[in-house]
Amino acid sequence: MALEWAMEEIVIEEQLKQFLLVLSVSLGVATLPQVFSWFRRIPYTLLLVIVGLGLAFVNVRLVNLSPELILMIFLPPLLFEAAWNLKWSDLKQDLVPICLYAVIGVVISIAGVALGLNQFAGLELSIALLVGASLSATDPVSVTALFRELGASKRLTTLMEGESLFNDGMAVVAFGLLVALPLGTTTLDVQSALLEFFQVVGIGIGIGGLIGFGISYLTQRFDLPLVEQSLTLVSAYSTYLITEHLGGSGVIGVVTTALILGNFGSRIGMNPRTRIIVSEFWEFLAFFVNSIVFLLIGDQIRFDVLGNNLKTIAITIAALILARAVSIYGLSSLSNWLAKSNISLPEQTVLSWGGLRGSVSIALVLSVPATLPHREEMIATVFGVVLFTLLVQGLTTQPLLERLQLLGSQPLRQEYMEAITRQVALQRALEYLETVQKRPGIQPEFYDYQKQLLAGEIARWQEKIDKLLDEYPNLQEFTTQELRGELLAIEADTYAEFVRIGRLNKELLPFLQITPIDN
């Protein structure tokens, strides 16, 4: 018994050392853009992949990347953070194209890759379908981060994030249905597949909704920021584990829970300060997990294995890009016709090229049973395709946005909002200064000096604001939109406060629409 305990302690110590090594390298990479300005041109997540490739090239392996590690430890917080920050008001405006991309798009992607591999690489159809299912989940973390940094439209970001959140679940469900085909334990029955699909998705939505609404009403009963923050973390992992245990899609469950908590529970059960604390916590956790995942993706590459499967990888990349283009352009046209979505051709082009693959694809292919023939070839193919999408497509997205003139005016708006914020902060400081004018010990000369200093700074920032408005009149519309958003937020917070104290019926909630503000 003592020997077993000693062995367990050695294993735990070794795992802790590996974890600290991965974390140290990740944080070291995060500081590179601050030291070398050239690295600022590369999104942080892609920089991690490149560093991981460098480590793999010199045969430094940090830790083994298992499917359980990705799906059970890393995936729930990444999904939760993305869905928590996705506004339902933005999502519902483009729900039709997002659902088309996430459901029919997954089918097109699987079929396109499978057809290419079967016809040109000679893979069995069942194996080719499994590779297609592994690669049908998009991972836009790098692209959406770049979108926010460069100022691409909010709608483009919503389309990309919304598709990814839902098609992750679709890809996992499709993979689960197809993985038994090569083993010969089942046959492809469309009716049975559809029935199982709706069952898996339905259980995910049901469990996610139950936990999401349950925690929303629970947090109404108290105002404890740290407890409410902890509840969101528990909900992410518990939803995934419970849903998977009951035979549903853990991915769909986590997304459902996070959408409810982010758009409903945070309004009726959390005060504004708590919402900020929780949002900052999830922002940190997403940064932390992404730092590990993308570094390990690069570090897991086996260059000799990739070299032996270059033909298969090249065929898969070509089939995937073609299938993605057919999916986005075709389904966007359908959505424009059915729902008047008005997704422009340049936006469709960015959506098509920006469909990167990442951690979900790797986790799925690593979970293929070891007894399956061509398993090593499948893993090498998926790793090669993921590497291509992250490095080639990821690094060329910025030039594509610039060429298509989709960068928008976000840097200008950021400059304008910074000026507004500085002026408001200084004005509040001046107002506070006036309240302490007669405090004992305050010298009149010091008071006058500070007042003149603050007044001068306020005037300087006002001049900058006026200059920006004169040079860029469209900022006036942006100011109006920001004010409308602030008014709606105050309205929702007021409803939430009345619900918390029991003066408003729970069925009314804070989602009431005020037409004078919207129009």
Side-chain angles (χ1 to χ4, degrees):
M1 184 65 70
L3 182 60
E4 291 180 0
W5 286 347
M7 292 297 295
E8 289 179 1
E9 288 180 1
I10 293 174
V11 170
I12 293 174
E13 182 180 355
E14 187 63 29
Q15 291 176 342
L16 182 59
K17 288 179 180 179
Q18 290 181 336
F19 173 75
L20 291 176
L21 178 60
V22 172
L23 187 58
S24 300
V25 174
S26 300
L27 296 178
V29 174
T31 63
L32 284 178
Q34 308 303 320
V35 180
F36 304 101
S37 59
W38 185 86
F39 286 111
R40 295 173 189 171
R41 303 176 186 177
I42 305 175
Y44 170 62
T45 49
L46 299 187
L47 192 58
L48 285 165
V49 175
I50 295 171
V51 172
L53 282 173
L55 294 174
F57 184 75
V58 296
N59 201 30
V60 175
R61 307 297 176 180
L62 298 174
V63 66
N64 289 327
L65 197 60
S66 66
E68 293 79 12
L69 188 66
I70 297 175
L71 291 177
M72 297 183 64
I73 305 299
F74 292 155
L75 193 56
L78 290 177
L79 292 170
F80 192 98
E81 189 271 341
W84 168 274
N85 289 310
L86 192 60
K87 293 183 179 179
W88 174 249
S89 58
D90 295 333
L91 183 62
K92 70 179 180 181
Q93 292 177 2
D94 287 306
L95 198 57
V96 171
I98 286 173
C99 289
L100 288 174
Y101 297 154
V103 180
I104 301 179
V106 166
V107 176
I108 294 174
S109 177
I110 295 173
V113 172
L115 183 63
L117 287 173
N118 180 251
Q119 294 297 316
F120 299 102
L123 280 183
E124 297 176 18
L125 185 59
S126 58
I127 298 293
L129 284 169
L130 208 53
V131 175
S134 300
L135 291 169
S136 61
T138 58
D139 186 357
V141 172
S142 302
V143 176
T144 51
L146 189 64
F147 282 177
R148 296 191 184 100
E149 180 181 345
L150 297 176
S153 68
K154 182 188 293 185
R155 189 194 188 195
L156 199 57
T157 304
T158 300
L159 285 169
M160 187 72 77
E161 284 188 322
E163 178 201 1
S164 175
L165 285 173
F166 291 110
N167 79 2
D168 280 355
M170 299 300 109
V172 173
V173 172
F175 183 88
L177 295 174
L178 294 171
V179 73
L181 287 179
L183 298 173
T185 58
T186 186
T187 57
L188 187 59
D189 181 2
V190 176
Q191 184 176 357
S192 300
L194 285 175
L195 182 62
E196 186 173 351
F197 169 79
F198 285 114
Q199 177 183 336
V200 169
V201 173
I203 292 175
I205 294 175
I207 298 298
L210 186 65
I211 293 177
F213 283 115
I215 292 179
S216 297
Y217 288 118
L218 179 64
T219 53
Q220 282 185 259
R221 308 301 176 188
F222 49 78
D223 183 19
L224 299 170
L226 293 179
V227 173
E228 293 173 72
Q229 173 181 293
S230 302
L231 279 174
T232 60
L233 181 62
V234 171
S235 70
Y237 283 104
S238 62
T239 301
Y240 186 88
L241 294 174
I242 293 172
T243 307
E244 288 288 324
H245 179 71
L246 295 177
S249 169
V251 174
I252 297 294
V254 173
V255 170
T256 303
T257 298
L259 280 173
I260 293 172
L261 288 175
N263 291 275
F264 172 71
S266 64
R267 292 294 182 185
I268 73 163
M270 300 180 185
N271 61 45
R273 176 175 171 270
T274 301
R275 285 203 303 271
I276 292 174
I277 291 174
V278 174
S279 297
E280 289 179 346
F281 166 75
W282 281 105
E283 183 180 357
F284 155 75
L285 196 58
F287 166 80
F288 183 79
V289 173
N290 274 319
S291 298
I292 297 174
V293 169
F294 281 90
L295 179 67
L296 293 181
I297 286 176
D299 185 55
Q300 298 298 301
I301 298 297
R302 263 63 176 178
F303 291 99
D304 55 337
V305 179
L306 290 184
N308 295 332
N309 294 276
L310 283 180
K311 178 185 174 182
T312 306
I313 293 171
I315 292 172
T316 308
I317 290 171
L320 187 65
I321 291 175
L322 181 60
R324 176 73 178 175
V326 170
S327 170
I328 294 298
Y329 289 117
L331 295 177
S332 296
S333 299
L334 179 61
S335 179
N336 288 344
W337 177 64
L338 287 176
K340 309 298 180 187
S341 303
N342 296 322
I343 303 174
S344 67
L345 193 60
E347 289 175 327
Q348 294 176 36
T349 302
V350 173
L351 289 171
S352 176
W353 187 247
L356 310 187
R357 269 60 178 176
S359 55
V360 176
S361 296
I362 289 175
L364 290 177
V365 76
L366 287 176
S367 65
V368 169
T371 57
L372 197 68
H374 305 290
R375 182 177 185 271
E376 292 304 317
E377 185 179 357
M378 292 172 60
I379 293 175
T381 301
V382 170
F383 266 88
V385 173
V386 168
L387 196 60
F388 175 87
T389 63
L390 288 175
L391 296 183
V392 178
Q393 292 180 247
L395 292 175
T396 55
T397 298
Q398 179 176 351
L400 182 63
L401 285 168
E402 292 172 347
R403 186 172 183 82
L404 296 176
Q405 299 180 349
L406 290 175
L407 289 184
S409 57
Q410 185 64 25
L412 177 63
R413 292 182 176 185
Q414 186 64 35
E415 182 183 1
Y416 177 72
M417 287 306 300
E418 181 183 347
I420 292 288
T421 304
R422 294 294 296 273
Q423 187 195 43
V424 170
L426 290 167
Q427 186 64 46
R428 290 181 179 179
L430 180 60
E431 292 172 359
Y432 178 77
L433 180 64
E434 292 175 350
T435 63
V436 298
Q437 178 182 4
K438 297 182 180 180
R439 179 183 294 180
I442 301 296
Q443 298 292 331
E445 295 81 6
F446 176 78
Y447 169 81
D448 292 337
Y449 172 75
Q450 292 295 329
K451 184 176 181 179
Q452 292 176 8
L453 189 65
L454 289 170
E457 283 293 298
I458 291 172
R460 185 172 70 85
W461 285 106
Q462 184 62 51
E463 288 179 10
K464 183 171 184 178
I465 292 170
D466 293 339
K467 183 179 179 181
L468 286 172
L469 289 173
D470 289 339
E471 294 179 0
Y472 307 98
N474 60 332
L475 284 175
Q476 191 67 52
E477 181 182 354
F478 170 66
T479 304
T480 304
Q481 293 174 352
E482 287 294 306
L483 179 59
R484 183 184 293 117
E486 291 173 13
L487 294 175
L488 288 173
I490 292 173
E491 176 199 5
D493 287 340
T494 304
Y495 292 146
E497 183 62 32
F498 273 66
V499 169
R500 278 196 295 270
I501 63 178
R503 294 177 60 186
L504 184 65
N505 191 309
K506 290 188 177 73
E507 281 71 26
L508 292 178
L509 304 177
F511 297 107
L512 302 176
Q513 297 295 318
I514 297 296
T515 51
I517 295 179
D518 288 337
N519 295 335

